[in-house]
């Protein structure tokens, strides 16, 4: 796990049946949060607070979300490099903390505009954008035309499948997760964790682009928290037709999903779920019928 988790001392206070408190000092595992500066061709584009690991996927997914790339052929390479505050020879220290990633785009792919750099926190992937119009980018993929369907009972199982693969959450209780599932078979393709919801989604989209899987037609994006505008946008930009969340969507997320033709499900927990946009893609039937279709 390395830099993904860090042990820190914590005072744990417990209460017995009579209400008496006992304090005990002990180490506790925390999710690591560190900045990652994403550069394109040596020019700084963005800084995000993230959990280290799968940084190349994170950068690739971020570039998809920003409309800079749309296929594996657009992304040539990426390398961690040193810089101020990152360690490494450029900083006068022998150790590189791998908090700067420089991406090289394929020949002919337009680089981001020089004034497009911005800062993101781990809780907001769109903070710093000038206006809502700047966020509402035009996807190169038409999710509204995707004829995918998913059985409601299968969709209801995806959160538990996602949770079963949240290995770092088990240690820290402090990470979001995102996963890609094949709507037809229910197969889980990839799961990633991060302190930021948007980072976790960027990582799975980045995995897809590095495996030449875009657009992600016929795929369900399952997230462990709420469905915000930014997550709907990222799904649309990657050609994902269905977004499923264990918690609530925002009003703006629902509006964007409806406008883009994306199926948006929320409160997907155990025995129920709510569908806020394009409900016809989620089929309802008996468990026996679902098993027969899967077989």
């Amino acid at each position: 796990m390395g830099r993904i988790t860090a042990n820190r001392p914590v005072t744990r206070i417990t209460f017995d049946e009579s209400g008496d408190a006992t304090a005990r000092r002990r180490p506790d595992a925390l999710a690591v949060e560190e900045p990652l500066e994403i550069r394109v061709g040596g020019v700084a584009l963005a800084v995000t607070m993230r959990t280290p690991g799968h940084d190349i996927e994170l950068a690739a997914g971020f570039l998809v979300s920003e409309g800079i790339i749309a296929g594996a052929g657009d992304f040539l390479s990426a390398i961690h490099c040193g810089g101020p505050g990152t360690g490494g020879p450029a900083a006068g220290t022998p150790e590189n903390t791998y908090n700067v990633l420089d991406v090289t785009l394929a020949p002919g792919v337009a680089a981001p505009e020089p004034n497009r750099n911005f800062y993101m926190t781990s809780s907001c992937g769109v903070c710093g954008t000038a206006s809502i119009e700047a966020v509402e980018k035009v996807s190169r993929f038409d999710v509204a035309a995707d004829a995918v369907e998913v059985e409601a009972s299968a969709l209801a199982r995806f959160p538990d499948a996602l949770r079963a693969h949240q290995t770092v959450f088990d240690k820290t209780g402090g990470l979001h997760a995102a996963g890609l599932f094949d709507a037809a078979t229910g197969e889980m393709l990839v799961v990633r964790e991060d302190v930021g919801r948007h980072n976790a989604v960027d990582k799975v989209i980045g995995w897809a682009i590095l495996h030449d899987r875009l657009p992600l037609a016929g795929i369900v994006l399952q997230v462990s928290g709420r469905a915000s505008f930014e997550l709907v946008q990222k799904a649309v930009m990657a050609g994902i037709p269905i977004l499923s969340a264990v918690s609530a969507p925002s009003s703006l997320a629902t509006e964007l999903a409806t406008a883009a033709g994306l199926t948006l499900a929320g409160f997907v927990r155990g025995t129920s779920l709510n569908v806020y946009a394009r409900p016809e893609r989620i089929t309802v039937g008996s468990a026996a019928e679902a098993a027969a279709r899967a077989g």
Side-chain angles (χ1 to χ4, degrees), residues 227-237 240 243 252-254 256-258 260 262 264:
S228 61
F229 174 91
E230 59 184 331
L231 299 194
V232 172
Q233 177 197 288
K234 289 177 184 295
V236 172
M237 295 298 289
I240 299 171
L243 170 58
L252 197 57
T254 301
L256 178 59
T258 300
L262 174 138
L264 177 61

Side-chain angles (χ1 to χ4, degrees), residues 212-233:
D212 200 13
R213 297 288 299 259
L214 261 59
L216 284 162
I219 298 299
V220 176
L221 170 61
Q222 177 68 54
V223 296
S224 62
R226 64 185 181 89
S228 61
F229 174 91
E230 59 184 331
L231 299 194
V232 172
Q233 177 197 288

Side-chain angles (χ1 to χ4, degrees), residues 174-257:
L175 290 183
H176 295 280
L180 299 178
F181 292 80
D182 186 294
T185 66
E187 177 189 2
M188 184 171 59
L189 304 178
V190 62
V191 172
R192 294 289 183 260
E193 295 180 275
D194 200 278
V195 289
R197 291 189 306 272
H198 64 283
N199 288 339
V201 171
D202 277 342
K203 285 179 179 181
V204 297
I205 292 174
W207 172 90
I209 199 166
L210 296 178
H211 287 79
D212 200 13
R213 297 288 299 259
L214 261 59
L216 284 162
I219 298 299
V220 176
L221 170 61
Q222 177 68 54
V223 296
S224 62
R226 64 185 181 89
S228 61
F229 174 91
E230 59 184 331
L231 299 194
V232 172
Q233 177 197 288
K234 289 177 184 295
V236 172
M237 295 298 289
I240 299 171
I242 302 174
L243 170 58
S244 171
V246 300
S247 193
S250 68
S251 61
L252 197 57
T254 301
E255 291 171 19
L256 178 59

